[in-house]
């Protein structure tokens, strides 16, 4: 049995510049952090006592005899990619709902890759996990997704991620005093809007025309550097909240589907109650709303957003991890060994007894 725990992420700045169609021409950068909310993947080789060879448990339960029968695209293609030719059982559990803007689909793919590598006795690097999940999501499944979610799920922590035109990815930790990180965290609030959406569907409304939004995307990348300067220089932390508001206005201008009337009303209520800035945490359309709220205004924001779920969180530093490793019996190898081992004589059996 293998259990893999992979964190969800909050993206602060630079979202949109992490799509290959943009950064392969202009480069891109994001500032993001993973939090203590996780995707759990449990897997094991399936003992040879069942009619099915594959069992996958998520919001559905699939029992299949071949990989090609699997309905879940990421599971099917990941098993193919790793050439898993034995019976397997996979279980998924998540601390947050899918389609909520927290990088859940990429956390699933990264965690699945990590768990299956471990099942085969392999220890992939964090960059290997990120790049393999990018390959599966962007090239195999042809999904319209950016590249920050896979990197953050694999690496974890508070990171400045840079995407180069040649495809190289740089991942640098944000080196700040613990007090500064705590100060930032103390001004952040996370709310669930209850609006589920598929990130690829929202992204499809603006990714094909990113070149027509050069000004907004350049502003969004510049805000990454500006936000890091604010955190590193000791500037009043409220400037970070003002910057979030500026970034959200730029992001909203990419497409009419990035926001909607309910999100706009929710954001307006939060601002009236004292929030300085905020954003939807993913491609847009719904999911989680991240707000920068000075501590003295947080009670008022909680009251204004009554009826929406407030989700306390902490930053987490580790990224995807194998938290339980017990590969178990390899029935095929055991059977081969049995066939290759000569039978014991009566005297040998008596001696063993």
């Amino acid at each position: 049995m293998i259990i893999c725990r992979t964190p969800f992420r909050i993206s602060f700045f630079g979202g949109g510049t992490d799509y290959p169609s943009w950064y392969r021409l202009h480069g891109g950068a994001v500032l993001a952090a993973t939090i203590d909310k996780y995707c759990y993947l449990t897997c094991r080789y399936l003992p040879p006592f069942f009619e099915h060879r594959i069992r996958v448990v998520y919001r559905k339960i699939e029992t299949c005899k071949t990989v090609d029968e699997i309905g879940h695209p990421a599971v099917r293609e990941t098993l193919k990619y790793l050439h898993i030719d034995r019976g397997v059982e996979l279980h998924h559990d998540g601390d947050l709902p899918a389609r909520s803007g927290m990088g859940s689909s990429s956390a699933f793919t990264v965690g699945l890759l990590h768990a299956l590598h471990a099942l085969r006795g392999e220890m992939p690097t964090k960059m290997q996990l990120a790049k393999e999940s990018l390959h599966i999501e962007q090239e195999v499944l042809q999904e319209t997704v950016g590249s920050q979610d896979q990197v953050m799920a694999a690496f974890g922590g508070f990171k400045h991620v840079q995407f180069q035109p040649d495809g190289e990815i740089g991942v640098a930790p944000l080196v700040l005093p613990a007090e500064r990180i705590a100060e930032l965290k103390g001004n952040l609030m996370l709310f669930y809007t209850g609006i589920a959406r598929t990130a690829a569907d929202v992204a499809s409304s603006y990714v094909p025309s990113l070149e027509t939004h050069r000004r907004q995307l350049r502003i969004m990348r510049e805000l990454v550097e500006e936000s890091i300067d604010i955190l590193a220089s000791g500037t009043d932390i409220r400037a970070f909240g003002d910057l979030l508001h500026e970034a959200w206005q730029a992001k909203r201008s990419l497409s009419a589907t990035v926001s909607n009337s309910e999100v706009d009303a929710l954001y307006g209520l939060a601002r009236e109650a004292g929030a300085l800035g905020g954003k939807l945490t993913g491609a847009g359309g719904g999911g989680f709303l991240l707000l920068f709220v000075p501590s003295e205004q947080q009670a008022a924001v909680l009251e204004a957003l009554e009826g929406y779920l407030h989700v306390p969180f902490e930053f987490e530093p580790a990224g995807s991890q194998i938290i339980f490793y017990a590969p178990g019996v390899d029935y095929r190898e055991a059977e081969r060994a049995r066939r290759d081992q000569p039978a014991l004589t009566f005297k040998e059996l008596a001696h063993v007894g």
Side-chain angles (χ1 to χ4, degrees):
M1 181 75 71
I2 310 296
I3 303 177
C4 180
R5 186 181 74 179
T6 305
F8 299 126
R9 64 96 189 97
I10 287 173
S11 177
F12 294 107
F13 298 100
T17 72
D18 65 317
Y19 287 94
S21 59
W22 174 263
Y23 70 73
R24 286 285 189 169
L25 295 173
H26 310 286
V30 299
L31 181 67
T34 49
I35 64 172
D36 61 345
K37 303 292 181 283
Y38 301 95
C39 162
Y40 294 88
L41 266 298
T42 304
C43 73
R44 65 169 182 158
Y45 285 128
L46 192 67
F49 310 120
F50 305 97
E51 290 185 7
H52 57 271
R53 290 187 64 253
I54 300 162
R55 186 169 187 258
V56 187
V57 181
Y58 51 112
R59 60 185 176 83
K60 299 180 180 179
I61 299 177
E62 298 190 52
T63 54
C64 310
K65 292 186 177 180
T66 68
V67 172
D68 287 328
E69 293 175 13
I70 299 172
H72 193 296
V75 173
R76 182 182 64 248
E77 298 307 326
T78 301
L79 289 173
K80 286 183 179 180
Y81 175 76
L82 291 179
H83 305 292
I84 303 292
D85 60 353
R86 293 179 53 185
V88 292
E89 185 167 23
L90 304 166
H91 285 250
H92 166 261
D93 293 284
D95 288 334
L96 300 178
R99 299 182 295 165
S100 59
M102 302 295 287
S104 57
S105 62
S106 295
F108 180 93
T109 306
V110 169
L112 180 60
L113 281 162
H114 203 172
L116 291 174
H117 273 297
L119 193 62
R120 300 200 311 185
E122 301 165 353
M123 293 180 62
T125 66
K126 291 184 178 298
M127 186 59 78
Q128 180 183 348
L129 284 174
K131 289 191 172 183
E132 287 184 351
S133 61
L134 284 169
H135 169 73
I136 289 169
E137 292 186 11
Q138 294 178 352
E139 298 177 32
V140 178
L141 297 176
Q142 295 287 300
E143 293 179 349
T144 307
V145 294
S147 301
Q148 65 167 306
D149 293 357
Q150 301 85 351
V151 174
M152 290 305 303
F155 281 84
F158 203 157
K159 295 292 195 294
H160 178 203
V161 185
Q162 297 189 70
F163 302 97
Q164 306 299 338
D166 64 1
E168 287 303 303
I169 301 171
V171 184
L174 211 60
V175 181
L176 297 169
E179 297 80 9
R180 188 62 163 171
I181 295 290
E183 184 182 20
L184 173 62
K185 167 60 192 63
N187 285 275
L188 297 175
M189 301 181 77
L190 189 63
F191 289 88
Y192 183 50
T193 68
I195 305 170
R197 85 293 174 276
T198 302
D201 292 341
V202 178
S204 295
S205 70
Y206 59 82
V207 169
S209 59
L210 285 178
E211 282 297 317
T212 67
H213 299 288
R214 288 190 182 190
R215 180 174 174 276
Q216 293 99 316
L217 288 165
R218 284 172 178 159
I219 289 172
M220 290 159 69
R221 181 171 180 178
E222 289 169 3
L223 292 178
V224 173
E225 302 299 331
E226 193 172 341
S227 66
I228 292 172
D229 288 343
I230 289 170
L231 293 173
S233 66
T235 301
D236 187 339
I237 197 69
R238 293 171 183 241
F240 193 93
D242 295 332
L243 217 59
L244 275 176
H245 178 67
E246 184 179 345
W248 176 235
Q249 301 313 304
K251 182 71 174 286
R252 286 179 76 255
S253 69
L254 292 178
S255 165
T257 62
V258 169
S259 189
N260 54 56
S261 58
E262 184 177 348
V263 170
D264 288 343
L266 187 61
Y267 187 65
L269 286 172
R271 291 264 293 169
E272 289 172 10
L276 298 182
K279 65 187 291 289
L280 292 177
T281 56
F288 281 86
L289 179 66
L290 176 70
L291 297 170
F292 185 100
V293 187
S295 56
E296 64 272 16
Q297 302 296 329
Q298 291 185 6
V301 170
L302 280 171
E303 184 178 353
L305 273 54
E306 184 181 7
Y308 290 92
L309 182 62
H310 172 229
V311 183
F313 69 90
E314 298 293 336
F315 294 136
E316 79 85 47
S320 187
Q321 291 182 296
I322 301 299
I323 60 173
F324 183 80
Y325 180 72
V329 175
D330 186 333
Y331 286 92
R332 295 192 309 182
E333 291 301 319
E335 177 61 18
R336 288 193 193 102
R338 186 192 67 77
R339 288 201 213 103
D340 294 342
Q341 183 69 34
L344 295 176
T345 65
F346 181 78
K347 280 187 176 181
E348 288 171 328
L349 285 169
H351 179 70
V352 169

